[in-house]
Amino acid sequence: MTDHPVLSLEHVGLRIGGARILNDVSLDVPAGEMLGVIGPNGAGKTTLFNVVSGIIRPTEGRVLLDGQDVSHVAIHHRAAAGLGRTFQTSSLFQALSVVENVRMVAQAHAGGATSVFRTPRRTDAATTRALETLAEVGLEHRADAVASGLSHGEKRKLEIAMLIAMEPKVILLDEPMAGVGSADVPALTEVIRGLHRGGRTVLMVEHHMEVVLGLVDRVAVMHHGELLAVDTPEAVMANPAVQSAYLGEAV
Amino acid sequence: MSEPILRVAGLFGRIGGQQVVEDVSFDVPATGVTALLGRNGVGKTSTIKSILGLIDRSGGMHLGGTRIDRMPTHRIVQLGVGYVPEDREVFGSLTVAENLRLAERDAAPRREFIQRLFPDIHDRRAQRAGTLSGGQQQMVSLARALVNENRLLLVDEPTKGLAPRIVDEVAEALAEAARTVPILLVEQNLHVIRRLAERVVVLSGGRVVFTGEASDLLDDEDRIQRFLGVHDATDPHDTAAGSTR
Amino acid sequence: MSTVVLLLVTGLGLGALYFLVASGLSLIYGLMGVLNFAHGSFLTIAAFLGWEVGRRVSDGTWWGLALSAMVGLAVGAIVAAATEYLLIRRLYERHIEQALVTVGLSLATVALFEGIWGTDPIYTQKPEWLAQTTEILGAKIPNDRFLLIACALVVLGGIVLFLRRTRYGLIIRAGVENRSMVMALGIDVRRSFTIVFAIGGAAAGLGGVLASVYYGYVSAHLGSVLLIFAFIVTVIGGLGSLTGAAIASVLVAVLQQFANFYLGGTGDLVVVVALAAVLLVRPRGLMGKVA
Amino acid sequence: MNQQLTDAPAPARPSAPAPEASGRRPLVLAIGGVALVAALATLPLLAIEIPGVLPGPTYTPGTLQLLAYAMLIAALALSYRMMFGLAGLLSFGHALFFAAGAYGLGMTLNVFAPAEWSSGLVFAVSIGVTLVLGIVLAATVGALALRVTGISFAMVTLAFAQAGSVLIRRNPGSATGGDEGLSLDITNVPEGLVGVVNTRNLYWMALAVLVFVYLVVLWVERSRAGHVAEAARENELRVRVIGIRPYSVKLLIFIVASVLAAVAGMGYLLLQSGASPRIATADFTLTLLVIVVLGGVGYRWGAIVGGIVYTLLDQRLTALAGSDFIAGLPAVLRVPLSEPLFILGTLFILVVLFLPGGIAGIPQRIRSGRKQHPVEAEEATDA
Amino acid sequence: PTTATGGGDATDAGAPVKVAMLTSQTGPLAAYGAAYTAGFEAGLDYATDGTGTVDGRELEIEWADDQGNPDTAVSKAKDFIGQGYEILAGTAASGIATALAEQAAQNKILYISGPAAADVITGANEYTFRSGRQTFQDVATAGTFIGDPAGKKVVVFAQDTAFGQGNLAGVQAVLGGQGATVEGVLVAEDATEFTPFAQQLLGASPDLVFVAWAGASSGAMWTALAQQGVFDAVPVVTGLGDVATYGAYGEASDKISFLNHYFGGASGTDVEAAMIEHLEAAGAEADLFSPDGFVAAQMIVQAIREGGDTVDGMIEALEAWTFDSVKGEITVRAEDHAMIQPMYQAKLVQDGGDWVPELVETIDAETVAPPVAGE
Ligand SMILES: Nc1ncnc2c1ncn2[C@@H]1O[C@H](COP(=O)(O)OP(=O)(O)OP(=O)(O)O)[C@@H](O)[C@H]1O
Ligand SMILES: Nc1ncnc2c1ncn2[C@@H]1O[C@H](COP(=O)(O)OP(=O)(O)OP(=O)(O)O)[C@@H](O)[C@H]1O
Ligand SMILES: [Mg+2]
Ligand SMILES: [Mg+2]
């Protein structure tokens, strides 16, 4: 579509108190790429996602979305501009039903989400869309359950469904597999692959190397708030610095 | 075999009126690691919480001969039980140091040991635990249990969200701990289970469906497939995607 | 000049009274997250019983006052501990309901006090010296203000020591966040909660006896009057910050004195405007911890 | 807020009862509602007696007055529930808007009476002016107070309400009547709304106000904005991340709830032929909170039941307190029982402790046979 | 016109008359309510010679609690009016009295207000009467303490409430009208610290300080005045409240000059003796507002006896009525229904451990009569 990358970070830095959490992170993500982000615990991966989605403002550098500088744009504007994300620990509307969780997103996407003049109905477009989305991730049978009563794996799926309903251009996934039992990993992997297949750009933080390596085009490695390397999975796995800092003897 | 450290007989557990643990019975021997396994939502966490009295429970439980099924949580823990909860549950508004200080039960807590095990969190003593990264929180949570001498450790998914290298380190730490204290371990990572577990208890739908030596389960593809729903577990580093159709 | 000194010192005295009430409130809110609307009732019952005992032994003497203070401290502590034990404990981690229960308690107790002691204020005696004044820079300062200030300092020091020297502060802060995890570390968190309530109640009880000295009467509404200012002070100071509450007590009281005197009795108005202003600029109050 | 920055697990919250799932609105409910309103509307024409609950048969002015008052309080409680129960905004200043409606209309009727206008027109325009003033006040207070959350929000609203209360009592320019209250100037009030003979009309007016408030609340709660408000109460950051700004929704809810309170306030002024400064105090807001919780936070009709039960109880307990039966009891029983507020307060404590869903939650409890906790506003716990 | 209860034939057939009494039985003014009620019982007994009937007609007297809350009072009043009560009386709270006066006018029934002191009740409307004194009379009595007010400086020390403002306005009208310079030191109602204001009083160097104070804070206020030496510098006048407040003045008790509406034994009339006898028999004691209740009973009996069954007749029967009561001869002024009655100067003296009032002088009713309202 366009020649510029859909998401780019220019010398992004973040200090909190005296601590440098992010240091001179520059990164271009072309449209349609699936990028894995790995790194030791505390490397700054979640923080990087927070900076991109606007939850934290960087103290240095710029974040560009579709060529536009969004460093000082509010969270909800970025979301409306097509940036979707999940959280490391499930973040849902616990008291709402599963379908309501998704419908909220569908409405936000379709506009007029905060209208007093429109009443959600069983049959309206947003609800239909929500149910479709739930079917995509295999949660349609739980549509009327209250979100807080879902099992861990189901919550993960609901998060993804909410993402799909947003129809975002750029997706940030923070450890989608954490706590998902081995038995459910393959199915969830498929769902994520499906997200990407629609031509969307996906950034994914994940410690399950087998999942990362099976999905991504490139891998970005973070360490101590810096970007150590961005390269193909094979090259990254072969990198001795990555091995010692991140993978350990497990490889 | 010597007396088990923990004997669970006919344990029932409820959350909000709903039965989540049903008639569970098993023993945890006085040495080594016993793994509690099962798919998502079968009641592993709930079993551990029932043992500690953190949820409504009934049934017979003995810790080294002392009956504990009527005891309040803090008394059970004071008998020498260390607990690493599933969702880390660090106190977000307290600093790392305060989190650890709160956990110290013994007159001589093993501070050096912790410092050696998790140098990263030692460096972050003054940081509020709520601002730690997910993995760092997990380390604090583990450290809280390991700082005391215990008679039994209850450890719920200690490697969740940890980088592969740290997973190894945690496994190593647990292996070291297991030399002196028996552990009841809930874990999803088969690699870790293989490395640590001597015995396994498998849950399904809130009930025990298998107990035995770890090798009885882990060397039997069929059983793995049946109890844990995993196809190919012999090589945990094979891409998960590759194992599905 | 002497008016300014008078306003300052009497403001300090009033601030001390606010602090005596706010300290317990702040302790209970800061550590336990319970917005305690019944705090005024702790104060009132302590004042009433302190007065009942004091006057029976020796009314209007130092000995009588000391006895009243002891009784006030004890009554405050016992009533508060009982409240925690019987009501608050059942609603752990449900802070709105905890606050609501205390609202109900304060409604019920104020009505009960009216039933027992009547609706009229009962005038109290105080030791001779407290009724006299001391001249500072031309201003005649009533002596009881000095007593208030001294007591407030003692309470401030006492509570700070308690929090520094014992693990209770830590246990309770952790317990509010995640009660079952604290128990899972082998700590009896319930006892700690009761102790904190008792300490807060004791401070309120002492405040009640001193308030009856300051106002010269006891009545069923003694506590309600002070409670609203104690709330304001606690919030301006930063929820849970004891030093914040101390500073805010003095600021609020002095501001109130000056506004009442120079700005046509607008003290209360100025205080609530200050409250809104402080919160809008610093939502966590002057010394509130950044959560 | 910061808490959420690094994925600290959000505390699991007991789920709110969802009495009416949106989108499903059985016709039965609507018909039942209409029938209930119709039944209430015919009360003044009937002679129903409920000894011990109502002071007399339903056609008598005393009973109608009491019922009308109860319905206005119920309308007010309903507006408060929308803010507290739906959007999780714990305001300590709701009384301000009720008072603004009552005093606003009273003062407008006092000062604003162009001779050439017909009195009906003056009355209508006065109501309009009061509504506009109410909206402006609500928008101002809301816009400021919503910049903070949780207990700070409660305290900022309290501050505004206190300021209003102090002003009303100060009686600036003799406009509010100070402690003595404001009495209604009936020159331009329609004749049908004046005097005990017309209590019936006042009753119908109160019923109309209640129905109006209910419909508006229903409409807003059912709308998308209402759902977003509910979601924002649950997880504000998540709302933002999906592309919605919670502030505007919360402000909207705040303004609507406040203006509805003002409408109830106007009804109150007409019913009571005056306004007293009591209605502007923080205590009055606390009473509302008590009412809403008593009725059941999770339910719209809980607020209505709460308002009516509270008003009737308050009235009946006073009667009980003065009865010979009480006077004959030994002091240990007599003293507490002769204080209506003691009984109400105790009752309230018992409800909070043992009936977490409030009165409206009883059927649900019986049905499900397990404990239900009402919605807990997250803000108040974020210290 | 509101109801047609009992049918038309009840007019003179000895049908009972329904009288509604609203007063605080609970709430902050419960003590005033109790004194008023006891006074009323005594007055009724006196005016009906113990029969409780007027010309053979039974008086159905119904008491209700206003809880000190205007809303409750209005609701109850409407209930009574709806039930066909023809006479409404009582309340010590001015806010309630104004609301009830409004109800009386709207529904055209007789209302006799209780101890509520606000001047606005006088002349509020043709249906409203009062049985007690009003603020103006208090103030005028205070004025009698300085002899000729011309050229003197009077400072009014009061709370910034309707009551305090009313007192200041009263002093300005009464003493200012007679040539005194009047200043006010008004203190916010919620203020708790009075020391600086005591300083301010001294700074004004007045010839007389008039204190108008109500509520619990009076103890602290008097202490502050005493501590700052106001009593040594200038005469201080205030109103003597009910028995419960005798202890409120502390050290200052014997230095204050009191104006007084009534205290037990102030007037020494036969009627007073009768009242005290009845009160004591009922286990009560004569207090500030006993006469208000007593007078209300007398007025009600008069209205029924002379006024028949119509409200206009009752109004006519009461207007310009002069009668002997507890405080001596008093008159209901026809123009605005003001109660023209004598007032007292008093002082507190120590009696054992307690302070008790002692009469200094009786002030003639005309001397302290308020100007006609609305003129
Ligand atoms: N307020 C703060 N003060 C100091 N350090 C902070 C603060 N907030 C975050 N940090 C630190 O910033 C680092 C980055 O945290 P982040 O959550 O981004 O890590 P991560 O890469 O997502 O790790 P994980 O894989 O464990 O989730 C951590 O070391 C964390 O402790
Ligand atoms: N708070 C709760 N309310 C209702 N049901 C719950 C709650 N917590 C757990 N459950 C239910 O109890 C069952 C057992 O849950 P538990 O957490 O013990 O499973 P688990 O084996 O630990 O699963 P996982 O591998 O996902 O951690 C699940 O079906 C779950 O849905
Ligand atoms: Mg992370
Ligand atoms: Mg689990």
Side-chain angles (χ1 to χ4, degrees), chain C residues 90-268:
Chain C
R90 296 164 188 275
L91 298 168
Y92 64 89
E93 281 172 12
R94 286 153 59 193
H95 299 297
I96 297 271
E97 273 110 322
Q98 288 176 332
L100 287 173
V101 160
T102 63
V103 168
L105 187 63
S106 84
L107 285 179
T109 47
V110 170
L112 189 64
F113 299 154
E114 279 191 350
I116 299 174
W117 282 286
T119 48
D120 286 325
I122 301 171
Y123 296 98
T124 58
Q125 305 287 317
K126 56 183 153 190
E128 192 62 32
W129 183 79
L130 288 180
Q132 293 163 357
T133 58
T134 301
E135 200 158 317
I136 296 180
L137 299 172
K140 287 188 203 162
I141 315 286
N143 290 340
D144 53 4
R145 309 309 194 255
F146 300 120
L147 178 68
L148 284 172
I149 296 170
C151 287
L153 287 175
V154 170
V155 166
L156 175 64
I159 298 183
V160 166
L161 271 186
F162 167 77
L163 291 180
R164 288 254 172 84
R165 287 286 163 85
T166 67
R167 260 157 64 100
Y168 284 103
L170 207 55
I171 292 175
I172 287 153
R173 275 193 289 147
V176 170
E177 206 182 308
N178 187 339
R179 181 187 164 96
S180 46
M181 191 59 219
V182 177
M183 298 196 322
L185 292 176
I187 297 163
D188 185 1
V189 69
R190 290 175 305 182
R191 207 186 56 196
S192 315
F193 279 130
T194 313
I195 288 175
V196 165
F197 244 79
I199 290 176
L206 180 63
V209 172
L210 291 172
S212 70
V213 170
Y214 176 84
Y215 290 118
Y217 68 87
V218 280
S219 97
H221 297 275
L222 194 65
S224 341
V225 180
L226 280 168
L227 186 66
I228 193 143
F229 285 104
F231 266 134
I232 291 177
V233 158
T234 311
V235 174
I236 290 187
L239 287 164
S241 163
L242 213 59
T243 29
I247 293 169
S249 296
V250 171
L251 285 182
V252 162
V254 170
L255 190 68
Q256 205 178 5
Q257 298 287 358
F258 276 86
N260 266 340
F261 192 74
Y262 289 111
L263 301 176
T266 50
D268 284 17

Side-chain angles (χ1 to χ4, degrees), chain A residues 142 148-154 179-181, chain B residues 15-16 18-21 38-47 86 156-157 160 186 188 203, chain D residues 12 370:
Chain A
R142 300 287 271 163
S148 62
L150 294 185
S151 90
H152 193 95
E154 288 171 327
V180 174
Chain B
I15 300 178
Q18 197 185 333
Q19 198 84 37
V20 290
V21 178
R39 303 178 61 157
N40 279 129
V42 295
K44 305 182 293 290
T45 302
S46 306
T47 301
E86 179 171 29
D156 198 349
E157 300 209 24
K160 183 159 122 187
V186 176
Q188 300 278 9
L203 291 183
Chain D
R370 59 175 196 171

Side-chain angles (χ1 to χ4, degrees), chain C residues 262-287:
Chain C
Y262 289 111
L263 301 176
T266 50
D268 284 17
L269 216 53
V270 168
V271 167
V272 292
V273 169
L275 169 68
V278 167
L279 286 183
L280 290 172
V281 177
R282 281 183 71 101
R284 304 232 158 235
L286 295 179
M287 310 265 293

Side-chain angles (χ1 to χ4, degrees), chain B residues 18 113-114:
Chain B
Q18 197 185 333
F113 170 66
I114 296 301

Side-chain angles (χ1 to χ4, degrees), chain A residues 133-192:
Chain A
T133 316
L134 285 176
E136 263 179 70
V137 300
L139 262 186
E140 70 276 33
H141 61 291
R142 300 287 271 163
D144 289 323
V146 175
S148 62
L150 294 185
S151 90
H152 193 95
E154 288 171 327
K155 284 184 179 166
R156 279 333 222 171
K157 289 181 187 167
L158 177 54
E159 284 253 9
I160 305 274
M162 290 170 74
L163 254 189
I164 298 175
M166 257 180 96
E167 298 182 15
K169 284 197 293 252
V170 179
I171 293 174
L172 311 176
L173 299 172
D174 198 352
E175 298 199 30
M177 298 295 166
V180 174
S182 330
D184 287 326
V185 167
L188 210 53
T189 310
E190 268 320 296
V191 172
I192 293 171

